[in-house]
Amino acid sequence: MSLAPQYDAWADRFEAALMPTYGRPPVALARGEGCAVWDVDGKRYLDFIAGIAVSSLGHAHPALVEAVSRQVATIAHTSNLFLHQPEVLLAEKLLALLGHEGRVFFTNSGTEANEAAFKLVRRHAAGTGRGFVVAALDGFHGRTMGALALTGKAAIREPFAPFGVDVRFVPYGDAAALKEAVTDECAGLFLEPALGEGGVVPAPDGYLAAAREICDATGAVFVLDEIQSGIGRTGWWFAHARDDVRPDVLTLAKGLGGGLPIGACIGVGEFGTTFDKSEHGSTFGGNPVACAAALAVLETIERDDLLGNAATIGGELADGIATLSHPLLGGVRGRGLWLAAVLTQPRAAAVQAAAQDAGFLVNAVQPDAVRLAPPLVVTITEVQALLDAFPAILDAGLEREA
Ligand code: PLP
């Protein structure tokens, strides 16, 4: 008899009713509280992936529940025909956190934030003859056509070509390659401050500053995609703040809404007014409920010093992994609560499955990298539980079929 009868039944129905884009998901989640989640058969897990760096306050956080419940009971939707207070408050708050003048455009997702940024870059370049943009190999910017065109992984991008835009790819982290590619004819440069889907690979020190300099010298628009790295994940509100680099355009999503769908494209300085009236829009973008959720996320991060928590607890997690000695473990990379345990063999899928058996949700982000991105509220006790279990998980990852 199956040990997970509810899972089996729901996964069969999932596969029959949903497009096969996600395969057969390994767990069917029913509910969560803090960093713990329970599946439909009642098994408890500690969540070390937070819905891909999204559930920044963990699950069912009272501040999020209260803000969303209050907003949905007040007014759930206005469309962009009318303004609502949460969007104004949130835009003001994001600009204050960023520390630059600018303007915000709200979206529902990360890919839409990058679509807005891409359109903004092209609008800025209109009439200048600047015909191409530059992005990084192994970078990831989303799955809609514009963001996909910028995504530097051929296997994801090429089945959907052509895109009708000239995107030139450079190796990530190589400032000399950037200098060669970003010329006076370049309209814009799209970079992540660390490759997220590429395996949580931070940029080398000085790389973002070099990118800024090159864009200043050539007039290309510097777009930083902080959709995964932003909103406290690295122990900074924005990962680029550590490098003291100013982007021209910043895109956000994931952790901003703490689980409610929202993204943002922020134009810094003059780029705040590149779009004119009617040049971009979204019916749902900046929806009152999503904005109320995001405000609650930002207030809670501030009130509970979750940036400090991400830095210190993330440091403990990274140090704990670094000191483990295991033949499958090659090291750890990343910052704050955004880490990858690097494997010596391409066994990440097996490690993910072994972790799941042991009651931990982690993510095989690359064949040889296991991503850890727990809620920003994770405690040292929860981190210690994973560290205690990790050697046995790695043992099983070496032995089991992925
Ligand atoms: N940009 C980055 C850096 C991402 O990590 C992702 C998603 O993983 C996206 C864009 C796309 O975001 P979404 O899945 O919300 O469209």
Side-chain angles (χ1 to χ4, degrees):
M1 205 192 90
S2 167
L3 291 173
Q6 290 292 331
Y7 167 76
D8 291 341
W10 283 104
D12 288 347
R13 287 172 66 177
F14 178 99
E15 283 191 303
L18 284 107
M19 287 192 186
T21 52
Y22 305 113
R24 189 177 171 94
V27 180
L29 288 178
R31 69 187 175 92
E33 194 181 322
C35 291
V37 288
W38 285 262
D39 71 15
V40 287
D41 293 290
K43 178 170 172 170
R44 179 182 185 272
Y45 307 82
L46 277 179
D47 183 2
F48 273 81
I49 189 60
I52 321 186
V54 165
S55 306
S56 24
L57 305 186
H59 302 276
H61 192 289
L64 196 64
V65 172
E66 197 277 326
V68 168
S69 309
R70 182 170 27 84
Q71 189 60 48
V72 82
T74 307
I75 186 163
H77 179 71
T78 62
S79 86
N80 54 42
L81 297 177
F82 310 103
L83 80 74
H84 59 85
Q85 290 155 333
E87 69 181 340
V88 178
L89 294 171
L90 181 60
E92 289 172 351
K93 183 73 190 167
L94 285 172
L95 291 170
L97 292 174
L98 189 57
H100 299 297
E101 305 262 300
R103 304 277 181 89
V104 182
F105 181 88
F106 286 118
T107 69
N108 308 285
S109 65
T111 201
E112 287 169 83
N114 284 334
E115 292 293 333
F118 204 170
K119 270 182 75 174
L120 192 158
V121 165
R122 295 192 76 175
R123 186 71 192 82
H124 183 73
T128 65
R130 292 174 182 268
F132 67 93
V133 297
V134 171
L137 285 168
D138 294 322
F140 184 84
H141 299 289
R143 301 281 192 163
T144 53
M145 292 302 272
L148 185 59
L150 297 165
T151 287
K153 194 136 200 258
I156 297 177
R157 189 185 65 248
E158 273 171 9
F160 303 95
F163 298 98
V165 288
D166 185 355
V167 183
R168 306 189 183 169
F169 292 101
V170 289
Y172 188 75
D174 181 343
L178 217 50
K179 193 155 189 201
E180 203 165 309
V182 180
T183 63
D184 292 345
E185 283 86 54
C186 174
L189 168 65
F190 286 77
L191 286 178
E192 298 165 81
L195 295 177
E197 296 308 299
V200 194
V201 183
D205 282 341
Y207 182 63
L208 297 182
R212 175 70 273 172
E213 267 174 39
I214 292 164
C215 288
D216 282 341
T218 58
V221 182
F222 184 21
V223 183
L224 259 185
D225 177 343
E226 291 238 29
I227 284 162
Q228 191 162 155
S229 58
I231 316 294
R233 187 106 317 259
T234 62
W236 299 76
W237 279 110
F238 308 104
H240 71 264
R242 179 181 169 274
D243 302 76
D244 200 18
V245 163
R246 175 186 51 79
D248 296 320
V249 177
L250 178 71
T251 55
L252 302 168
K254 291 197 185 281
L256 176 59
L260 273 285
I262 184 165
C265 171
I266 305 182
V268 175
E270 62 167 307
F271 296 99
T273 49
T274 300
F275 283 135
D276 220 333
K277 187 168 185 290
S278 304
E279 288 189 335
H280 201 46
S282 166
T283 301
F284 291 117
N287 164 279
V289 180
C291 286
L295 282 166
V297 166
L298 300 180
E299 278 160 21
T300 307
I301 291 176
E302 257 176 350
R303 189 195 61 210
D304 296 349
D305 185 25
L306 297 182
L307 299 186
N309 204 58
T312 47
I313 305 284
E316 297 284 342
L317 180 54
D319 289 350
I321 293 170
T323 51
L324 289 178
S325 170
H326 191 282
L328 188 53
L329 191 61
V332 61
R333 65 182 175 229
R335 288 196 183 97
L337 286 168
W338 196 38
L339 301 170
V342 183
L343 307 181
T344 54
Q345 299 172 41
R347 307 275 319 159
V351 171
Q352 176 188 306
Q356 182 187 317
D357 289 350
F360 298 92
L361 299 184
V362 301
N363 168 247
V365 66
Q366 288 288 318
D368 65 349
V370 178
R371 175 167 49 184
L372 304 172
L376 305 183
V377 295
V378 72
T379 64
I380 189 66
T381 313
E382 289 160 337
V383 158
Q384 196 55 53
L386 178 65
L387 290 173
D388 291 345
F390 217 51
I393 290 171
L394 292 171
D395 285 345
L398 266 181
E399 283 154 21
R400 64 176 289 151
E401 293 286 313

